[in-house]
Amino acid sequence: MIIKNVSLDIVCGITSKLPQTGRPEVAFAGKSNVGKSSLINGLLNRKALARTSSQPGKTQTINFYNVNESIYLVDLPGYGYAKVAQSEKEKWGKMIEKYLHTSKDLKAVFLLIDIRHEPSANDKMMYDWIVHNGYEPIIIATKLDKLKRSQVQKSIKMIKEGLKLRPGSSIFPFSAETKQGRDEIWAKIDELTGMLPAATEEAPQA
Protein backbone atom coordinates (compact mmCIF):
# COMPACT_ATOMS: atom_id res chain seq x y z
CA MET A 1 0.00 0.00 0.00
CA ILE A 2 1.18 3.52 -0.79
CA ILE A 3 0.79 5.53 2.42
CA LYS A 4 -0.69 8.93 1.61
CA ASN A 5 -1.86 10.00 5.05
CA VAL A 6 -2.10 8.47 8.52
CA SER A 7 -3.43 9.70 11.83
CA LEU A 8 -4.15 8.38 15.30
CA ASP A 9 -7.93 8.80 15.08
CA ILE A 10 -9.39 7.05 18.10
CA VAL A 11 -7.99 6.14 21.53
CA CYS A 12 -10.12 3.86 23.73
CA GLY A 13 -9.44 3.40 27.41
CA ILE A 14 -11.02 0.89 29.77
CA THR A 15 -14.18 2.97 30.19
CA SER A 16 -14.48 4.14 26.56
CA LYS A 17 -17.24 3.09 24.23
CA LEU A 18 -15.70 1.08 21.41
CA PRO A 19 -16.26 2.62 17.97
CA GLN A 20 -17.85 1.09 14.89
CA THR A 21 -15.60 2.71 12.29
CA GLY A 22 -17.32 1.42 9.16
CA ARG A 23 -13.89 0.72 7.62
CA PRO A 24 -11.89 -2.53 7.50
CA GLU A 25 -9.72 -3.03 10.60
CA VAL A 26 -6.74 -5.27 11.32
CA ALA A 27 -5.53 -5.57 14.91
CA PHE A 28 -2.06 -6.19 16.36
CA ALA A 29 -1.55 -8.07 19.63
CA GLY A 30 1.64 -9.06 21.40
CA LYS A 31 3.37 -9.02 24.72
CA SER A 32 5.01 -5.89 26.06
CA ASN A 33 8.32 -5.01 24.34
CA VAL A 34 7.80 -7.41 21.42
CA GLY A 35 8.05 -4.45 19.01
CA LYS A 36 4.40 -3.63 18.31
CA SER A 37 4.85 0.15 18.18
CA SER A 38 8.00 -0.26 16.07
CA LEU A 39 6.08 -2.51 13.65
CA ILE A 40 3.23 0.00 13.29
CA ASN A 41 5.69 2.87 12.76
CA GLY A 42 7.51 0.73 10.17
CA LEU A 43 4.32 -0.18 8.32
CA LEU A 44 3.23 3.46 8.24
CA ASN A 45 6.65 4.91 7.33
CA ARG A 46 6.59 7.08 10.44
CA LYS A 47 9.33 7.38 13.04
CA ALA A 48 7.22 8.04 16.12
CA LEU A 49 3.50 7.92 15.38
CA ALA A 50 3.14 4.92 17.71
CA ARG A 51 5.15 5.69 20.83
CA THR A 52 7.89 3.16 21.50
CA SER A 53 9.24 2.67 24.98
CA SER A 54 11.75 0.50 26.79
CA GLN A 55 9.29 0.40 29.67
CA PRO A 56 6.94 -2.57 29.24
CA GLY A 57 3.20 -2.06 29.16
CA LYS A 58 3.26 1.52 27.86
CA THR A 59 0.26 1.01 25.57
CA GLN A 60 -2.73 0.86 27.90
CA THR A 61 -5.38 1.84 25.37
CA ILE A 62 -6.72 0.51 22.08
CA ASN A 63 -5.35 2.87 19.42
CA PHE A 64 -6.95 3.17 15.98
CA TYR A 65 -4.61 4.43 13.22
CA ASN A 66 -6.46 5.72 10.16
CA VAL A 67 -4.57 4.88 6.95
CA ASN A 68 -5.49 6.77 3.76
CA GLU A 69 -9.05 7.27 5.07
CA SER A 70 -9.63 3.66 3.99
CA ILE A 71 -8.56 1.20 6.72
CA TYR A 72 -7.61 1.14 10.39
CA LEU A 73 -4.57 -0.50 12.00
CA VAL A 74 -5.58 -1.22 15.59
CA ASP A 75 -2.91 -1.42 18.32
CA LEU A 76 -4.05 -3.56 21.27
CA PRO A 77 -2.50 -3.19 24.77
CA GLY A 78 0.59 -5.35 25.34
CA TYR A 79 0.31 -8.31 27.69
CA GLY A 80 2.86 -9.97 29.94
CA TYR A 81 5.42 -7.81 31.66
CA ALA A 82 3.48 -4.62 32.32
CA LYS A 83 4.10 -3.35 35.84
CA VAL A 84 0.46 -2.81 36.75
CA ALA A 85 -1.93 -4.48 39.16
CA GLN A 86 -3.49 -7.79 38.11
CA SER A 87 -6.92 -6.13 38.33
CA GLU A 88 -5.80 -3.60 35.68
CA LYS A 89 -4.56 -6.39 33.40
CA GLU A 90 -7.92 -8.12 33.75
CA LYS A 91 -9.69 -4.91 32.74
CA TRP A 92 -7.47 -4.67 29.64
CA GLY A 93 -8.28 -8.30 28.85
CA LYS A 94 -12.01 -7.61 29.07
CA MET A 95 -11.59 -4.50 26.91
CA ILE A 96 -9.72 -6.46 24.20
CA GLU A 97 -12.23 -9.32 24.38
CA LYS A 98 -15.11 -6.87 24.02
CA TYR A 99 -13.41 -5.37 20.96
CA LEU A 100 -12.84 -8.80 19.37
CA HIS A 101 -16.49 -9.73 20.04
CA THR A 102 -18.20 -6.51 19.03
CA SER A 103 -16.22 -5.04 16.11
CA LYS A 104 -18.15 -5.50 12.89
CA ASP A 105 -15.16 -4.33 10.87
CA LEU A 106 -12.28 -6.42 12.25
CA LYS A 107 -10.87 -8.59 9.44
CA ALA A 108 -7.87 -10.22 11.14
CA VAL A 109 -5.65 -10.29 14.22
CA PHE A 110 -1.86 -10.32 13.88
CA LEU A 111 0.01 -11.78 16.86
CA LEU A 112 3.62 -10.63 17.32
CA ILE A 113 6.19 -13.10 18.65
CA ASP A 114 9.91 -12.40 19.26
CA ILE A 115 11.68 -14.55 16.65
CA ARG A 116 14.65 -15.15 18.98
CA HIS A 117 12.76 -17.03 21.68
CA GLU A 118 10.45 -19.96 22.04
CA PRO A 119 6.86 -18.73 22.51
CA SER A 120 6.22 -18.07 26.20
CA ALA A 121 3.28 -19.37 28.23
CA ASN A 122 1.73 -15.90 27.77
CA ASP A 123 2.20 -16.09 23.97
CA LYS A 124 0.54 -19.51 23.84
CA MET A 125 -2.32 -18.33 26.03
CA MET A 126 -2.85 -15.26 23.83
CA TYR A 127 -2.79 -17.37 20.66
CA ASP A 128 -5.38 -19.78 22.07
CA TRP A 129 -7.46 -16.88 23.39
CA ILE A 130 -7.58 -15.18 19.96
CA VAL A 131 -8.63 -18.51 18.39
CA HIS A 132 -11.27 -18.89 21.11
CA ASN A 133 -12.60 -15.44 20.16
CA GLY A 134 -13.13 -16.56 16.57
CA TYR A 135 -9.98 -15.41 14.76
CA GLU A 136 -7.09 -17.32 13.20
CA PRO A 137 -4.03 -15.31 14.35
CA ILE A 138 -1.48 -14.38 11.69
CA ILE A 139 2.00 -14.48 13.22
CA ILE A 140 4.56 -11.71 12.79
CA ALA A 141 8.00 -12.82 14.03
CA THR A 142 9.67 -9.58 15.15
CA LYS A 143 13.31 -8.57 15.70
CA LEU A 144 14.47 -10.45 12.60
CA ASP A 145 17.66 -8.35 12.38
CA LYS A 146 18.82 -9.82 15.72
CA LEU A 147 19.25 -13.26 14.11
CA LYS A 148 21.80 -14.59 11.66
CA ARG A 149 20.20 -15.53 8.36
CA SER A 150 21.11 -19.17 8.95
CA GLN A 151 19.02 -19.22 12.16
CA VAL A 152 15.77 -17.87 10.70
CA GLN A 153 14.17 -21.09 9.45
CA LYS A 154 15.00 -22.90 12.69
CA SER A 155 13.41 -20.09 14.70
CA ILE A 156 10.27 -20.08 12.53
CA LYS A 157 9.96 -23.84 13.07
CA MET A 158 10.34 -23.26 16.83
CA ILE A 159 7.46 -20.73 16.78
CA LYS A 160 5.25 -23.03 14.69
CA GLU A 161 5.80 -25.92 17.06
CA GLY A 162 5.59 -23.78 20.20
CA LEU A 163 2.21 -22.34 19.25
CA LYS A 164 1.01 -25.59 17.62
CA LEU A 165 0.12 -23.64 14.49
CA ARG A 166 -2.24 -25.28 12.07
CA PRO A 167 -0.78 -26.34 8.70
CA GLY A 168 -0.81 -23.44 6.26
CA SER A 169 -0.73 -20.75 8.97
CA SER A 170 1.10 -17.59 7.93
CA ILE A 171 4.29 -16.38 9.65
CA PHE A 172 5.89 -13.12 8.52
CA PRO A 173 9.43 -12.44 9.79
CA PHE A 174 9.88 -8.68 10.29
CA SER A 175 12.66 -6.26 11.19
CA ALA A 176 11.85 -2.73 12.35
CA GLU A 177 15.49 -1.83 11.64
CA THR A 178 15.71 -2.95 8.01
CA LYS A 179 11.94 -3.02 7.23
CA GLN A 180 12.39 -6.56 5.90
CA GLY A 181 8.97 -8.20 5.76
CA ARG A 182 7.08 -4.90 5.50
CA ASP A 183 5.89 -5.41 1.90
CA GLU A 184 4.76 -8.98 2.61
CA ILE A 185 2.75 -7.87 5.65
CA TRP A 186 1.11 -5.07 3.67
CA ALA A 187 0.25 -7.50 0.85
CA LYS A 188 -1.50 -9.69 3.43
CA ILE A 189 -3.34 -6.69 4.92
CA ASP A 190 -4.43 -5.57 1.45
CA GLU A 191 -5.70 -9.08 0.73
CA LEU A 192 -7.60 -9.30 4.04
CA THR A 193 -9.21 -5.87 3.77
CA GLY A 194 -10.09 -6.01 0.07
CA MET A 195 -7.62 -3.24 -0.75
CA LEU A 196 -5.86 -5.15 -3.52
CA PRO A 197 -5.47 -3.03 -6.66
CA ALA A 198 -8.20 -3.34 -9.26
CA ALA A 199 -5.66 -4.79 -11.71
CA THR A 200 -6.01 -8.14 -9.93
CA GLU A 201 -9.66 -8.39 -10.96
CA GLU A 202 -10.50 -10.42 -14.02
CA ALA A 203 -10.99 -8.40 -17.17
CA PRO A 204 -14.54 -8.50 -18.55
CA GLN A 205 -15.12 -11.01 -21.31
CA ALA A 206 -15.17 -9.46 -24.78
Side-chain angles (χ1 to χ4, degrees), residues 18 39-40 75 79 85 119 132 142 157 162 174 185:
L18 289 165
L39 167 73
I40 289 170
D75 185 6
Y79 57 86
H132 176 71
T142 60
K157 185 168 183 273
F174 175 77
I185 294 167

Coordinates of all heavy atoms in Angstrom, one line a residue, residues 18 39-40 75 79 85 119 132 142 157 162 174 185:
L18 N -16.5 1.5 22.6 CA -15.7 1.1 21.4 C -16.4 1.6 20.1 O -17.6 1.5 20.0 CB -15.5 -0.4 21.4 CG -14.6 -1.0 22.5 CD1 -14.8 -2.5 22.6 CD2 -13.1 -0.7 22.1
L39 N 6.7 -1.9 14.9 CA 6.1 -2.5 13.7 C 5.1 -1.5 13.0 O 5.2 -1.3 11.8 CB 5.3 -3.8 14.0 CG 4.4 -4.3 12.9 CD1 5.2 -5.0 11.8 CD2 3.4 -5.3 13.5
I40 N 4.2 -0.9 13.8 CA 3.2 0.0 13.3 C 3.9 1.2 12.7 O 3.6 1.6 11.6 CB 2.2 0.4 14.4 CG1 1.3 -0.8 14.7 CG2 1.4 1.6 14.0 CD1 0.5 -0.7 15.9
D75 N -4.0 -1.0 17.4 CA -2.9 -1.4 18.3 C -3.6 -1.8 19.6 O -4.1 -0.9 20.3 CB -1.9 -0.2 18.5 CG -0.7 -0.6 19.3 OD1 -0.6 -1.8 19.7 OD2 0.1 0.3 19.6
Y79 N 0.6 -7.4 26.5 CA 0.3 -8.3 27.7 C 1.6 -8.8 28.2 O 2.7 -8.7 27.6 CB -0.6 -9.5 27.3 CG 0.0 -10.4 26.2 CD1 0.8 -11.4 26.5 CD2 -0.4 -10.1 24.9 CE1 1.4 -12.2 25.5 CE2 0.1 -10.9 23.8 CZ 1.0 -11.9 24.2 OH 1.5 -12.7 23.1
A85 N -1.2 -3.5 38.3 CA -1.9 -4.5 39.2 C -2.7 -5.5 38.3 O -3.1 -5.2 37.2 CB -2.9 -3.7 40.0
P119 N 8.0 -19.4 22.0 CA 6.9 -18.7 22.5 C 6.7 -19.0 24.0 O 6.8 -20.1 24.5 CB 5.7 -19.3 21.7 CG 6.4 -19.8 20.4 CD 7.7 -20.2 20.8
H132 N -10.0 -18.7 20.4 CA -11.3 -18.9 21.1 C -12.3 -17.8 20.8 O -13.5 -18.0 20.8 CB -11.0 -18.9 22.6 CG -12.2 -19.0 23.5 ND1 -12.9 -20.1 23.6 CD2 -12.8 -18.1 24.3 CE1 -14.0 -19.9 24.4 NE2 -13.9 -18.7 24.8
T142 N 9.0 -10.9 15.1 CA 9.7 -9.6 15.2 C 11.2 -9.8 15.5 O 11.6 -10.8 15.9 CB 9.0 -8.6 16.2 OG1 9.1 -9.3 17.5 CG2 7.6 -8.4 15.9
K157 N 10.4 -22.5 12.7 CA 10.0 -23.8 13.1 C 9.7 -23.9 14.6 O 8.6 -24.5 15.0 CB 11.0 -24.9 12.7 CG 10.6 -26.3 12.9 CD 11.6 -27.2 12.2 CE 11.2 -28.7 12.3 NZ 11.8 -29.3 13.5
G162 N 5.9 -24.3 18.9 CA 5.6 -23.8 20.2 C 4.1 -23.4 20.3 O 3.5 -23.6 21.4
F174 N 9.9 -10.1 10.5 CA 9.9 -8.7 10.3 C 11.0 -8.0 11.1 O 11.3 -8.4 12.2 CB 8.6 -8.1 10.7 CG 8.5 -6.6 10.7 CD1 8.4 -5.9 9.5 CD2 8.7 -5.8 11.8 CE1 8.4 -4.5 9.4 CE2 8.7 -4.4 11.8 CZ 8.6 -3.8 10.6
I185 N 3.8 -8.1 4.7 CA 2.7 -7.9 5.6 C 1.7 -7.0 5.0 O 0.5 -7.3 5.2 CB 3.3 -7.3 7.0 CG1 4.2 -8.3 7.7 CG2 2.2 -6.8 7.9 CD1 5.1 -7.7 8.8

